[in-house]
Amino acid sequence: LPKVGEDGEFSGIEISAIKPGSVFEQVGIEDGDVITSIGGEPISSVGDSRGLFSAFSNGEPVDLTIRSASGDETTRTVQIPSE
């Protein structure tokens, strides 16, 4: 889901409904976390969020910057196996 900050600006993609055993769960992403950048590029609009899906299309590792519900930011490398 698109996440809008207190200032009304788009601030990333909020993650919800993580499936047990999924790659996202395995790297520690939790429901409510917000992905703020993909491969070092900030997600600052709905259009940018489309990059999240294309980033995983080739099965290569992708660095995601994630802000937790507590406000901590971390970068995690995620790789979704190509089918």
Side-chain angles (χ1 to χ4, degrees):
L1 299 170
K3 179 72 173 175
V4 177
E6 292 178 15
D7 59 1
E9 296 291 319
F10 189 88
S11 62
I13 300 296
E14 185 171 359
I15 302 301
S16 64
I18 298 278
K19 293 182 181 179
S22 70
V23 171
F24 296 106
E25 182 186 57
Q26 292 172 20
V27 298
I29 297 174
E30 299 178 353
D31 286 349
D33 287 351
V34 177
I35 299 173
T36 60
S37 75
I38 303 165
E41 296 295 322
I43 301 173
S44 57
S45 71
V46 174
D48 292 343
S49 67
R50 292 185 192 115
L52 180 60
F53 301 106
S54 64
F56 295 120
S57 65
N58 63 5
E60 295 294 319
V62 176
D63 289 333
L64 301 178
T65 302
I66 301 156
R67 186 176 61 244
S68 69
S70 66
D72 295 331
E73 275 200 354
T74 60
T75 299
R76 297 194 180 116
T77 301
V78 178
Q79 183 174 12
I80 297 179
S82 57
E83 297 184 80

